[in-house]
Amino acid sequence: VIASHREYRCNNRTTPCRAGHYYGYVSLGEKGNVDKPKCYEKYALKRKYLVTSNQTAFAIDYLWDCMLQIVFSNATFESLSKVYNNLHFVNLPMDVMQHRLEIQRKRITEAIFLFAYLELGQRYGLSPIITGGIDNTILRNKTDIRDRFREKWTVEHVCDVKGCSSVLTVDGGMKPTRSLCAAKLHGVKEFSQSGMSVVCGCLKNPQPDSKYCGEHVGLSTPVMTSESVSNTTRTALRDHRNQTSTFKDAPQDNMYVIESLVETNGSSWKVKWLGFPDEMCTWEPSSNLQPWILSYYNEDLKRLGKPLPDPKIKHVKRAGDEVYYYLSWGDEKV
């Protein structure tokens, strides 16, 4: 047992108080209500452990080490959970290990976000009350977090560094350098407040020594990397970009999207590329094209010249006012 999780409940009958006292926090509400608010103590992070649920607690030193790995080693929640599993559950059967990996990833993710939120709360004077889980709490208080951050570093902070009090760097440029799964056109992000939808790639981190996350290894996709198309196609498409670009130093495409197959000639297929005019169709050998694309057109040659079928929604993830739809192409199981 790493932390006492006995409940000490207030039963003062003269008031409606029904607070439950736990290790590092107080729960507010009726016993058994999983969404009841939790009010963390002012010195919760100075204890030895941080209790995140009635079944989970992490050592504060371990969470701090995880934060350092994320900042300095680009560690992901998935990689942290794999390390944890291999240290503590190495002798379990493989199917059990995989199940434990998903459980541990969720627990570590929740614990690190809770740790970060409480630490920010101490610095910025945020409410230590967690309601509806840490994700909903952060989304509900994101405006306060932003405003307190700006106030601290634009009003309260003054130093001799050039630009202080007149320039505020909010992001620091680290997020754009983060590695993402190379699965393009595999998601749609929908913003409910603005009513906008954006087609994007997978937002997960790739596995070690791979361009793809675990979900998209060996995926079906209409996207081809610049290395996987023929030399003739790559040269033609890049020349077209150079001739039509309004910015002379514009970077070259590193991926191309198949819009449709328009003609076949033995083992070669004429490809219409998304974003390029009809005269830029090029020939590709069958060996360069994914089997599901060839099967779609071989089943009915009348489909030649018509776009590939739209992807299907694989599953949906919701976070605050954002909805992310994971897409499945070709013969992937939904």
Side-chain angles (χ1 to χ4, degrees):
V1 178
I2 64 172
S4 172
H5 200 263
R6 295 190 180 93
E7 180 188 45
Y8 299 93
R9 180 166 288 275
C10 175
N11 288 308
N12 189 340
R13 295 184 179 181
T14 62
T15 67
C17 177
R18 292 292 293 165
H21 296 260
Y22 296 89
Y23 184 95
Y25 70 89
V26 176
S27 67
L28 309 172
E30 291 299 323
K31 187 175 182 179
N33 180 10
V34 295
D35 292 326
K36 60 186 177 183
K38 297 178 181 178
C39 182
Y40 279 82
E41 298 173 350
K42 181 178 180 179
Y43 301 105
L45 297 185
K46 292 188 176 182
R47 288 178 175 264
K48 191 172 182 179
Y49 303 102
L50 179 65
V51 178
T52 59
S53 72
N54 59 359
Q55 296 182 347
T56 309
F58 289 96
I60 297 293
D61 289 344
Y62 170 73
L63 294 177
W64 179 244
D65 181 69
C66 288
M67 294 288 284
L68 294 177
Q69 290 186 58
I70 292 171
V71 173
F72 295 111
S73 302
N74 295 322
T76 64
F77 295 125
E78 186 172 2
S79 66
L80 290 172
S81 60
K82 285 182 177 180
V83 171
Y84 187 94
N85 264 18
N86 278 277
L87 288 174
H88 299 283
F89 305 109
V90 67
N91 294 322
L92 292 177
M94 186 58 67
D95 58 334
V96 178
M97 276 281 285
Q98 190 61 35
H99 178 64
R100 292 294 313 176
L101 177 65
E102 181 61 22
I103 293 176
Q104 193 60 29
R105 184 186 65 80
K106 292 179 179 179
R107 288 177 173 175
I108 288 179
T109 301
E110 180 182 11
I112 290 177
F113 274 107
L114 176 60
F115 176 84
Y117 179 80
L118 293 177
E119 198 275 332
L120 279 175
Q122 292 180 357
R123 284 191 285 151
Y124 297 159
L126 302 174
S127 170
I129 298 177
I130 309 299
T131 307
I134 186 61
D135 289 352
N136 290 325
T137 300
I138 291 175
L139 288 170
R140 189 168 52 252
N141 295 316
K142 62 183 179 181
T143 301
D144 287 340
I145 296 173
R146 181 198 63 197
D147 292 345
R148 285 294 299 126
F149 177 86
R150 289 177 176 173
E151 182 180 349
K152 180 176 179 64
W153 294 107
T154 59
V155 178
E156 300 175 3
H157 175 79
V158 178
C159 69
D160 297 330
V161 175
K162 186 178 180 179
C164 181
S165 76
S166 62
V167 177
L168 176 64
T169 303
V170 176
D171 184 69
M174 291 304 296
K175 190 172 183 180
T177 65
R178 180 170 64 94
S179 297
L180 290 176
C181 174
K184 306 301 180 184
L185 301 182
H186 270 73
V188 174
K189 204 166 188 178
E190 185 179 89
F191 303 89
S192 59
Q193 291 187 356
S194 63
M196 295 179 62
S197 297
V198 179
V199 178
C200 56
C202 175
L203 303 180
K204 296 181 180 179
N205 294 99
Q207 292 184 323
D209 302 322
S210 174
K211 291 183 178 181
Y212 301 95
C213 69
E215 185 175 355
H216 287 126
V217 172
L219 78 167
S220 297
T221 176
V223 180
M224 296 182 66
T225 63
S226 57
E227 294 84 8
S228 63
V229 300
S230 64
N231 291 331
T232 302
T233 292
R234 183 167 55 250
T235 300
L237 297 183
R238 287 185 171 180
D239 287 346
H240 177 78
R241 283 287 193 230
N242 289 334
Q243 294 168 10
T244 58
S245 176
T246 57
F247 178 45
K248 65 177 182 178
D249 295 323
Q252 288 289 350
D253 297 323
N254 59 6
M255 294 194 179
Y256 302 102
V257 181
I258 297 175
E259 181 178 321
S260 64
L261 302 186
V262 297
E263 192 177 338
T264 181
N265 183 12
S267 60
S268 296
W269 297 79
K270 194 174 185 180
V271 180
K272 168 68 171 68
W273 302 99
L274 185 67
F276 290 87
D278 292 342
E279 58 267 24
M280 291 309 302
C281 292
T282 62
W283 288 91
E284 287 289 320
S286 298
S287 57
N288 283 1
L289 304 176
Q290 288 203 359
W292 73 275
I293 296 178
L294 297 176
S295 297
Y296 177 74
Y297 288 100
N298 274 323
E299 287 174 1
D300 186 357
L301 292 179
K302 293 181 180 179
R303 294 172 175 171
L304 288 172
K306 297 180 181 179
L308 287 167
D310 292 332
K312 301 174 183 177
I313 296 177
K314 195 171 185 179
H315 52 88
V316 181
K317 180 179 179 181
R318 302 178 187 276
D321 61 346
E322 297 180 5
V323 182
Y324 185 81
Y325 298 91
Y326 289 84
L327 304 180
S328 170
W329 291 87
D331 53 1
E332 289 183 24
K333 294 183 179 180
V334 178

